[in-house]
Amino acid sequence: MRVLFTTWAWPSHLYAMVPLAWACRAGGHDVLVASQPELTETILRTGLPAAPVGRDVDAVATFRDIALPGDIAPPGDIAPPGDIAPPGDIAPPGDIAPPGDVAPPPPGRRRSGEPGGTLGGGANGGPGGTPAGGPGGTPAGGPGGGGPRVLGLLTALADAMVDDLVELGRRWRADLVVFEPTAFAGPLAAAVLGVPAVRHLYGTDLMSVVGRFLPAALDPLRERLGLRAVDPFGVATVDPCPAGLQVPVGSRRLPMRYVPHNGPGTLPPELPRPSGRPRVCVTWGTTMSRVDPGLFLAGQVARAIGDLEVDVVVAVTPGQRELLGPLPPRAHVVESAPLHLLLPSCDLVVAHGGAGTLLTALAHGLPQLLLPRLPDHVRHAGRLAEAGAGVVLPASASSPETIRDGLSELLAVPGYRTAAERLRREMHGQPSPEEVGRELERVATGAAVRS
């Protein structure tokens, strides 16, 4: 079997697919990873063969526009009120899925002893979890919000990649295309090639919200390619989320055990001997510092919790270290360590809500305090809060005081760890990438029937 994996040039979307790609390779199948030229070196560092297709597109500029609609927060400040695009802005008015189709926004902060709440208002920016802009999920910003801009970006990325991807698939004789859910070039190319397409989620299914708008968004490309129809959900969806985080998906779900891949790195140096205090890992991934250094809040968070009875480990890339600023005495900085090698010695995680960080923390049963900024981070974080395994702080309500309050709540309420452990068990009970790879063989040969 020849499996063509594809993503646009965003490393975290690639990393989510690496364990399954390697499982296919170890199972004796041919694997090729296609993306824009910008991602070629990152693909090669995973040990998988790369095929550059299409042209690069400046996605960072769109994300910066969404995350910073107004003035950027002054250096060193936690973002002031209003300095975040409303999370409801991921979709135009009325584009919140009907009841039962996707979990509702997380509730407001719960009574002491009840995990799964938010501090400083709901995770969607309004008190008690009311979506910003009013009830029913209508965005405050109307149709010009983050959702339309993101959908426009994603169709532009597909347009930049699809012709070369089709040519590559023909030349390489692909039997199956595996694509991450925002890489629409994947299902389009598969439809032209006449082979099955399988989605591979990297977190909760964001397309469950905007799915009904995708056919219209993809119509110009579909018509240009001479297709009668294209299914952006594929014949099946590989889902690495534990059952407690899953939302309905648009095709047959293939649950898969999450196996962390955070890119190359070395075993972290031995941390200071345990002091008896809880050890908190603060990490801000790679996306936010790439979008804008002012959105990288790891240093501010470390300072905010520095006077609590905790030890702090700050995980950064070499380029992020200079963004930290002065740190409290009990903070220890670790560079370039794969997160899954660092977290076994930690008790809690404070982060930005990115899917890779969130799922890696859950793989170790760790509760989380999340400060999401981008729309997809808001949705991933909201699902974690709904599952009772974390506390979410909207950017507009984030301050040193609310950060300390959120962390104190996680430490004081055992239910958060209980919920995180439950999700860890669910995650480890799902089929391995090797088992899912065998299911892909059935999909490629037509033995698997869509349900």
Side-chain angles (χ1 to χ4, degrees), residues 23 29 35 47 100 118 130 135 138 140 226 288 353:
H29 302 295
S35 186
T118 61
T130 301
T138 302
M288 303 313 293

Side-chain angles (χ1 to χ4, degrees), residues 135-183:
T138 302
R149 282 176 287 176
V150 170
L151 209 52
L153 169 65
L154 298 182
T155 53
L157 289 162
D159 183 56
M161 294 175 59
V162 68
D163 294 315
D164 283 1
L165 191 61
V166 169
E167 177 58 31
L168 173 67
R170 283 184 177 137
R171 176 164 49 91
W172 193 62
R173 302 190 307 279
D175 299 305
L176 178 70
V177 174
V178 178
F179 65 102
E180 55 90 0
T182 63

Side-chain angles (χ1 to χ4, degrees), residues 85-93 95-96 123-124 131-133 137-142 145-148 209 375 378-379:
D89 243 7
I90 193 169
D95 195 25
I96 298 298
N124 278 339
T138 302
V209 175
V378 170
R379 295 191 68 79

Side-chain angles (χ1 to χ4, degrees), residues 384-423:
L384 185 79
E386 289 163 359
V391 169
V392 178
L393 288 176
S396 60
S398 301
S399 68
E401 292 75 23
T402 58
I403 291 169
R404 284 193 292 272
D405 287 348
L407 190 61
S408 297
E409 180 167 327
L410 286 176
L411 291 168
V413 180
Y416 289 108
R417 179 170 292 278
T418 300
E421 281 288 345
R422 183 185 69 250
L423 293 171

Side-chain angles (χ1 to χ4, degrees), residues 331-346:
H332 185 83
V333 179
V334 176
E335 287 186 14
S336 300
L339 201 55
H340 68 280
L341 297 179
L342 179 63
L343 291 186
S345 66
C346 297

Side-chain angles (χ1 to χ4, degrees), residues 20 24 29 432-443:
L20 181 57
C24 291
H29 302 295
S432 68
E434 178 186 9
E435 293 172 280
V436 174
R438 290 197 292 269
E439 182 62 22
L440 293 187
E441 294 181 50
R442 299 181 66 240
V443 171

Side-chain angles (χ1 to χ4, degrees), residues 152-235:
L153 169 65
L154 298 182
T155 53
L157 289 162
D159 183 56
M161 294 175 59
V162 68
D163 294 315
D164 283 1
L165 191 61
V166 169
E167 177 58 31
L168 173 67
R170 283 184 177 137
R171 176 164 49 91
W172 193 62
R173 302 190 307 279
D175 299 305
L176 178 70
V177 174
V178 178
F179 65 102
E180 55 90 0
T182 63
F184 298 138
L188 286 163
V192 173
L193 297 170
V195 301
V198 171
R199 283 197 313 161
H200 191 314
L201 303 183
Y202 54 86
T204 58
D205 189 2
L206 304 174
M207 296 300 112
S208 64
V209 175
V210 299
R212 56 183 167 169
F213 290 89
L214 293 182
L218 295 177
D219 268 351
L221 284 173
R222 177 189 59 76
E223 292 173 359
R224 178 166 73 77
L225 294 168
L227 295 169
R228 294 184 60 185
V230 62
D231 186 350
F233 294 96
V235 299

